[in-house]
Amino acid sequence: MKFTRRWLLEHWQGDLDAEAISRRLTKAGLEVAAVTRLDKGLEHVQAGRLLEVGRHPDADRLTVCRVLVGQEELSIVCGAQNHKVGDMVAVAREGALLPNGMKIGKSKIRGVLSQGMLASTTELGLATSSDGILILPEETVPGIPLAQLLGRDDDLFELELTPNRGDCLGVRGIARELARINLPLSLYTQ
């Protein structure tokens, strides 16, 4: 059985982190096989608005972009061709370690400083192929973490259920188990 913390909270009025939920489920006799962060590799990726897109002075296929990320403006060299001024894009900031293993840092690309990377869905681990950088919805707020925007700022639980726990084959049953654990013992003896 797999479920996310956010989905569980739709059915259970608790306020526990993933580790505490895992401990309580184990206490209830449910084996937690794995807990995985869904935003792994997206920690330093935010939405940014392209303020300027110009040709690179020493490369025909590269552009130099001025990008607004939150309150900060970054200069980023990009090799994709599917972007224009005003687009909202996914910006991998310095220090990012993307799901594809790429580490992002400041660098000079043909003599021009690049303070990050405009990322595609393949580089972000969201797809197996892409036609360029990820273009986000126009109403996206610059600086918002991409994981939050995509709903990936969550934990994924995987339970190993035994045949006698059919009551936990759905998220409501798991929520019921968590709620039961918190009940005072006097309610069981009446």
Side-chain angles (χ1 to χ4, degrees):
M1 168 68 187
K2 290 184 181 182
F3 60 93
T4 63
R5 181 177 180 275
R6 188 173 291 129
W7 188 19
L8 179 65
L9 292 178
E10 290 176 16
H11 302 279
W12 175 61
Q13 301 304 313
D15 188 26
L16 300 176
D17 63 10
E19 185 178 324
I21 291 171
S22 183
R23 280 195 312 268
R24 288 202 178 174
L25 290 173
T26 301
K27 185 177 176 182
L30 300 172
E31 182 183 346
V32 179
V35 179
T36 309
R37 277 300 297 173
L38 295 176
D39 62 356
K40 187 159 175 56
L42 301 176
E43 295 92 345
H44 296 285
V45 182
Q46 296 173 282
R49 182 173 306 282
L50 293 175
L51 300 176
E52 287 181 19
V53 177
R55 295 191 83 53
H56 191 289
D58 293 330
D60 293 338
R61 295 184 181 205
L62 298 178
T63 58
V64 179
C65 304
R66 192 166 55 97
V67 187
L68 177 66
V69 181
Q71 300 299 318
E72 188 177 2
E73 289 185 16
L74 303 175
S75 174
I76 298 177
V77 176
C78 182
Q81 302 299 316
N82 68 319
H83 57 286
K84 64 186 180 320
V85 172
D87 281 346
M88 291 300 300
V89 295
V91 180
R93 309 238 358 207
E94 181 180 2
L97 180 59
L98 299 180
N100 69 354
M102 187 181 298
K103 185 166 173 62
I104 306 301
K106 286 182 184 177
S107 62
K108 282 199 171 188
I109 300 175
R110 295 207 177 181
V112 175
L113 177 66
S114 186
Q115 299 172 295
M117 181 179 87
L118 305 184
S120 71
T121 54
T122 54
E123 292 159 338
L124 297 170
L126 303 173
T128 55
S129 66
S130 65
D131 294 329
I133 62 171
L134 174 60
I135 306 294
L136 301 170
E138 191 175 305
E139 64 276 2
T140 305
V141 177
I144 188 171
L146 186 66
Q148 180 181 341
L149 182 66
L150 299 177
R152 294 182 66 106
D153 56 338
D154 206 349
D155 298 289
L156 177 69
F157 291 84
E158 185 174 350
L159 301 182
E160 294 287 333
L161 295 175
T162 54
N164 65 325
R165 293 309 307 256
D167 60 320
C168 292
L169 288 174
V171 73
R172 279 189 175 176
I174 294 164
R176 199 169 24 251
E177 276 300 304
L178 285 169
R180 183 189 60 78
I181 292 169
N182 289 334
L183 293 176
L185 187 58
S186 61
L187 290 177
Y188 292 112
T189 57
Q190 294 177 4

